[in-house]
């Protein structure tokens, strides 16, 4: 490690929103501590944002200013560019490329950028002898990137899974706690500022899918492949599903799962049932959790704040301090040229399934469904028919292990029975 009297590490920050100002506050508040831990002073020399005069709760008057954020990547007095603007293309991509080509290291929280262009940016960084770090892009303050690239580097990773979008977890757990429906809690999350400008990035699973694709690349040594992440949001989850799952001993989570199988790389970000006794099932509010399984370490669980000024800025500064210390690792834990192009596995391994449907209240209706499931190669583990008023009967079925193909085939055939009212709901029960 270099001496504390070494020349300072000079930062240029693009984006002074919540996270950018959080970084400014940490540097200004903890300068002495950061110098001791990083082995050299760390200082901000220049910034860029949409407005120079906006009140931000931190003093930026002593920093150089660039109207064009890409100019930060060309400044001779900047050693590390911190990209916090967001966006998978445009100025963010141009800045990162410019910085790497001009001999700057880069720290970013931009999961969308890396999910779309991570492999090519890793090659660019390594071709120019630079590092590109992105701890803040996945699970906020949880050091999951560092865990995979460093602490667990001696393991063959068998599975990565987790709850990686706090907004979705907030909505689902509030539905369970308050008895209010999805639409009401969606509006509440919007008013609290928890949703992205495009809410579908959150509730549609896209944001969490970006994160999963990055973890997959590190865990399994593959090129980033967001396009083959199976995505399903939480908009179809009803209050009935929340209640019935709990009645059977499960919680519903938007769960990301990545694993390398004999068919290829399986990546999915979908609503699943998990046992309410597992740490994933007990996760409340906007908290994130990542579970990593390795052949030597077994299963480890990382839990913490997945977003917000402090946690995300903390992750950014962890990367900056590592650069100050002289730690230089390949972007995805191994040289980019060694990352494999793994075929996507589109068919999930067998698992139990939760099936909820409404049947016409007439003789033989349930028998038709049971027969159809049997003909589809699906056996029933548990079944409950709930009391009701009127002509329709809610039914819940938990299957033994079945493939997603068999479940899809059975669902398609349900409409032909003439006894199913509306669309049935099918959710995988993840074995955690």
């Amino acid at each position: 490690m270099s001496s504390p009297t070494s020349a300072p590490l000079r930062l240029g920050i693009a984006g002074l929103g919540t996270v950018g100002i959080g970084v400014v506050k940490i540097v200004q508040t903890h300068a002495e501590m950061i110098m001791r831990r990083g082995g050299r002073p760390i200082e901000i020399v220049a910034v860029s944002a949409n407005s120079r005069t906006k009140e931000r709760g931190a003093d930026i008057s002593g920093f150089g200013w660039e109207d064009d954020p890409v100019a930060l990547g060309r400044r001779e007095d900047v050693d590390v560019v911190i990209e916090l603007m967001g966006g998978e293309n445009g100025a963010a991509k141009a800045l990162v490329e410019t910085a790497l080509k001009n001999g700057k290291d880069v720290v970013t929280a931009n999961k969308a950028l890396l999910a779309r262009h991570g492999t090519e940016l890793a090659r660019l960084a390594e071709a120019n002898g630079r590092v590109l770090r992105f701890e803040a892009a996945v699970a906020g303050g949880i050091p999951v990137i560092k865990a995979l690239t460093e602490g667990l580097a001696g393991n063959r990773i068998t599975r990565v899974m987790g709850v990686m979008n706090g907004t979705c977890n907030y909505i689902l757990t509030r539905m369970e706690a308050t008895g209010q429906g999805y639409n009401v809690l969606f509006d509440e999350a919007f008013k609290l500022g928890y949703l992205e400008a495009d809410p579908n990035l959150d509730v549609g699973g896209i944001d969490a899918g970006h994160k999963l694709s990055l973890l997959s690349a590190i865990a399994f040594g593959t090129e980033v492949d967001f396009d083959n992440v199976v995505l399903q949001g939480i908009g179809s989850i009803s209050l009935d599903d929340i209640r019935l799952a709990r009645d059977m001993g499960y919680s519903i989570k938007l769960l990301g799962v990545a694993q390398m199988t004999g068919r290829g790389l399986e990546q999915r970000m979908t609503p699943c049932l998990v046992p309410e006794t597992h740490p994933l099932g007990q996760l409340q509010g906007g908290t994130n959790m990542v579970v990593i399984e390795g052949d030597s370490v077994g299963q480890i669980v990382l839990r913490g704040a997945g977003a917000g000024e402090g946690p995300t800025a903390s992750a950014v500064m962890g990367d900056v301090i590592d650069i100050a210390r002289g730690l230089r690792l390949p972007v995805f834990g191994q040289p980019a040229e060694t990352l494999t192009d793994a075929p996507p596995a589109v068919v999930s391994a067998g698992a139990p399934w939760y099936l909820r449907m409404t049947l016409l209240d007439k003789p033989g209706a349930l028998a038709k469904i049971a027969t159809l499931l049997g003909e589809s190669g699906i056996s029933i583990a548990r079944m409950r028919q709930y009391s009701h008023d009127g002509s329709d009967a809610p039914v819940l079925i938990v299957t033994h292990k079945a493939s997603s193909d068999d479940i899809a085939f059975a669902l398609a055939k349900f409409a032909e029975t003439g006894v199913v009212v509306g669309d049935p709901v099918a959710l995988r029960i993840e074995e955690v």
Side-chain angles (χ1 to χ4, degrees):
M1 181 180 295
S2 55
S3 164
T5 58
S6 299
L9 186 70
R10 302 166 297 177
L11 312 179
I13 303 176
L16 293 176
T18 300
V19 179
I21 288 301
V23 172
V24 171
K25 290 177 180 177
I26 290 175
V27 173
Q28 292 178 336
T29 304
H30 300 307
E32 185 66 27
M33 178 191 75
I34 290 171
M35 183 178 70
R36 292 195 303 270
R37 293 179 177 177
R40 59 193 292 194
I42 295 175
E43 62 183 38
I44 300 167
V45 298
V47 296
S48 179
N50 289 331
S51 170
R52 188 171 189 173
T53 58
K54 178 180 177 180
E55 175 53 45
R56 294 182 166 89
D59 183 11
I60 63 170
S61 60
F63 308 148
W65 179 269
E66 294 289 353
D67 290 318
D68 177 8
V70 179
L72 290 174
R74 294 188 288 265
R75 286 183 65 122
E76 293 186 358
D77 60 349
V78 168
D79 303 308
V80 179
V81 167
I82 301 177
E83 186 278 303
L84 302 173
M85 297 181 294
E88 63 184 54
N89 289 297
K93 183 171 183 284
L95 170 58
V96 172
E97 291 173 336
T98 299
L100 294 173
K101 290 175 182 177
N102 282 272
K104 321 293 183 188
D105 294 322
V106 174
V107 175
T108 181
N110 193 336
K111 52 196 157 292
L113 172 69
L114 294 173
R116 288 296 184 189
H117 307 291
T119 303
E120 65 183 80
L121 291 175
R123 290 176 178 145
L124 179 62
E126 292 167 26
N128 285 276
R130 307 317 328 166
V131 296
L132 170 60
R133 299 183 65 100
F134 56 98
E135 186 69 71
V138 180
I142 304 174
V144 61
I145 305 298
K146 183 176 282 288
L148 281 169
T149 56
E150 298 179 45
L152 301 177
N155 283 256
R156 181 178 65 84
I157 303 302
T158 55
R159 183 168 62 160
V160 177
M161 59 184 170
V163 172
M164 303 177 200
N165 184 277
T167 300
C168 288
N169 201 56
Y170 174 85
I171 291 173
L172 292 173
T173 56
R174 286 283 290 163
M175 287 173 69
E176 182 173 358
T178 67
Q180 296 175 304
Y182 171 81
N183 290 335
V184 173
L185 274 304
F186 177 94
D187 290 341
E188 179 177 290
F190 178 80
K191 291 174 183 176
L192 291 171
Y194 291 171
L195 288 162
E196 298 274 1
D198 176 3
N200 193 51
L201 291 173
D202 287 314
V203 298
I206 298 170
D207 167 86
H210 287 152
K211 300 170 186 176
L212 183 68
S213 70
L214 300 178
L215 294 183
S216 295
I218 301 170
F220 306 112
T222 61
E223 296 178 359
V224 183
D225 187 15
F226 171 70
D227 286 338
N228 284 303
V229 178
V230 177
L231 296 176
Q232 180 185 344
I234 64 170
S236 64
I237 303 300
S238 72
L239 192 55
D240 283 341
D241 293 318
I242 298 287
R243 290 169 172 164
L244 295 176
R246 182 174 57 190
D247 189 39
M248 303 289 276
Y250 296 101
S251 294
I252 298 178
K253 301 294 180 185
L254 181 66
L255 188 69
V257 179
Q259 54 192 348
M260 187 66 74
T261 73
R263 301 177 306 277
L265 178 60
E266 179 182 319
Q267 302 179 97
R268 47 190 162 84
M269 182 62 66
T270 61
C272 292
L273 274 68
V274 297
E276 61 184 4
T277 55
H278 189 274
L280 282 167
Q282 298 171 3
L283 192 67
Q284 297 293 309
T287 308
N288 282 198
M289 180 176 289
V290 180
V291 179
I292 304 171
E293 296 173 352
D295 62 344
S296 296
V297 75
Q299 185 180 93
I300 66 168
V301 178
L302 302 172
R303 175 186 181 277
E309 176 184 305
T312 311
S314 167
V316 170
M317 286 307 301
D319 283 342
V320 170
I321 290 172
D322 272 351
I323 292 172
R325 289 167 171 163
L327 180 61
R328 309 190 71 78
L329 298 174
V331 178
F332 292 103
Q334 65 185 62
E337 63 183 15
T338 69
L339 299 174
T340 62
D341 181 11
V346 295
V347 180
S348 299
W353 288 78
Y354 159 103
L355 305 177
R356 177 180 62 79
M357 66 204 75
T358 301
L359 304 183
L360 291 176
D361 188 11
K362 64 180 186 180
L366 191 55
K368 285 187 176 182
I369 295 301
T371 299
L372 191 153
L373 288 173
E375 292 173 349
S376 302
I378 300 167
S379 61
I380 297 173
R382 288 186 282 174
M383 180 166 57
R384 292 185 184 179
Q385 183 170 350
Y386 290 83
S387 60
H388 61 99
D389 297 318
S391 60
D392 300 334
V395 173
L396 171 63
I397 295 173
V398 173
T399 76
H400 288 294
K401 283 187 177 182
S403 72
S404 57
D405 281 351
D406 287 344
I407 292 294
F409 177 82
L411 293 178
K413 290 291 186 180
F414 279 176
E416 300 176 8
T417 64
V419 299
V420 178
V421 180
D423 294 326
V425 173
L427 298 173
R428 182 185 174 95
I429 300 175
E430 194 65 39
E431 296 183 300
V432 297

